[in-house]
Amino acid sequence: MIGLIVLVAVCWGVLLTVLPSQSGDPVLVSVSPADGETVKSPDEVRITFDRPVPAELATVQMTDPAGERIVSTRPYNPPGADDAIAVPMPKTRYEGIYSVVWSVPSSTLEPMVGSSSFSVFSAARLTAVPGLVVDRDPVVVTVYTVAGVLATAALVLGVGTVFVLGVVWPEGVRRPGSRRLLRYTWATMVLATLVSLLSFGGYAARTSLGDAFDPALLAGTVKSYIGAALMARLLVLLPLTLGFWQLLRSEPARTSVERWTAAATVLGAASALAATWVFARPHAPGRPGPLSVAADTALLLAAAVGVGAAVMLWTVLRRAGGQMAPATRLLARIMPVGAAVLLLAATTTTTAGWQLAAYGALAVVIFGTGVALLYRERRRRSDLEESDGRRDKPGRRRLREVAAVSASATVVALAALPGSGLPG
């Protein structure tokens, strides 16, 4: 019990330690040189906000008096100024007006765009402010989206499989199908999270595919709130994997108390992992509230239990034969409960109609699978009882006949004995 509590505490401790605080979107404070200012020869252009900003995920473009773009490096945070982003001025500076336009990703990953103009040496003729391209590269969007979908599917299937093996069917750990399922889902979760980390910088900064894997973008990803949540996911996976591996290797749960303890351990530790999906999702300014985190986490865990149970029933348990009937009956009772929790959490957290319809369809499949299994098990038991009853009727008649003959023979044998006191 102490080890299980420690596992849950370590997983949540890692998540809360790594995850940074977030108070909202940055607000512009000042631009140096200021808009409309005439300066001699600045070394850099600095844009200051009211809170720290990952400069590597920002985009700054500048044009010289001739209208040519002159910024060739990614923005950076000046030393000791995490709340500012800067770009260097070119070594050769011409007299005239320089125009600057910048973009900073918000908490919803939508660009926050601003512009400014200043004069060097003297105010010459005004040049047009350059347009900033804010469209994402379709390839970068596809890579980031597919990685997120694969990671979510691996979470749902992996946690559900561990729940089934750790709580309902401990003997299934020895089956090759179960081991392969765990290996593939865990490996997919790690690899998809790594791809999300590598592609998030290009997705947030809206760069082209060629610039999406710039090391500077990866540094900005780690500094960002969503990137920190992805890093927390990888770190939570370390104690979670070791704890689940030890749980599956330990003595299987036999009593209801042991099963409840194992279920609480799996869901409690997995809730820290599922919460990283909530924090790594674009949302309104500020960290999601506790109720929102709890509801979204319950949604993922309910889907994991239902989908994991269904997949194990359709694949591994189906091939195990009739000796797995107790595990099948227990899963059949769990699945309707998981479907009800899934539907309740979906109605609480989901606002889009198509998402609610998708969750509802998944809940119907899980609920229907559990009810169908319960119905089939009851029919099978009733058929067995009826067949046993039909087999017992001739057997009972034969038993009565044998008992009557044996009784007659016994009476005859006793009567034949000398001094029996019975009439011959």
Side-chain angles (χ1 to χ4, degrees), residues 169-210:
W169 189 35
E171 297 81 3
V173 179
R174 297 190 294 268
R175 291 192 168 268
S178 302
R179 293 198 296 267
R180 282 196 301 268
L181 193 59
L182 283 177
R183 285 197 301 267
Y184 292 158
T185 52
W186 238 243
T188 301
M189 195 187 312
V190 174
L191 292 177
T193 302
L194 288 174
V195 173
S196 297
L197 266 174
L198 293 174
S199 59
F200 174 76
Y203 182 83
R206 298 172 180 254
T207 64
S208 62
L209 180 63

Side-chain angles (χ1 to χ4, degrees), residues 359-401:
Y359 287 130
L362 181 60
V364 169
V365 171
I366 296 172
F367 184 85
T369 303
V371 171
L373 283 173
L374 285 174
Y375 177 76
R376 190 179 68 178
E377 286 297 317
R378 290 181 180 178
R379 284 291 304 271
R380 190 177 65 85
R381 281 190 293 176
S382 63
D383 292 342
L384 287 176
E385 291 175 356
E386 291 179 2
S387 61
D388 289 342
R390 288 193 297 268
R391 286 195 298 268
D392 286 346
K393 289 179 180 178
R396 292 192 186 100
R397 286 197 297 269
R398 286 194 296 271
L399 184 60
R400 286 195 295 268
E401 293 173 358

Side-chain angles (χ1 to χ4, degrees), residues 31-73:
V31 181
S32 179
D35 187 25
E37 183 181 4
T38 300
V39 293
K40 289 185 178 181
S41 183
D43 293 328
E44 67 178 12
V45 175
R46 180 177 296 197
I47 306 166
T48 305
F49 298 89
D50 64 339
R51 66 201 66 201
V53 177
E56 295 84 356
L57 299 183
T59 300
V60 177
Q61 295 179 1
M62 187 189 313
T63 56
D64 61 10
E68 298 180 356
R69 292 185 178 180
I70 56 177
V71 174
S72 59
T73 60

Side-chain angles (χ1 to χ4, degrees), residues 277-295:
W277 264 259
V278 183
F279 294 122
R281 187 174 57 202
H283 46 75
R287 180 180 290 189
L291 294 178
S292 176
V293 174

Side-chain angles (χ1 to χ4, degrees), residues 233-278:
R233 181 185 305 172
L234 293 176
L235 295 177
V236 169
L237 274 172
L238 293 176
L240 189 72
T241 303
L242 294 175
F244 282 175
W245 178 74
Q246 184 63 33
L247 175 66
L248 296 179
R249 284 173 55 90
S250 61
E251 289 295 326
R254 300 299 182 187
T255 64
S256 60
V257 175
E258 292 176 348
R259 285 196 178 95
W260 277 106
T261 303
T265 302
V266 173
L267 297 180
S271 63
L273 182 64
T276 62
W277 264 259
V278 183

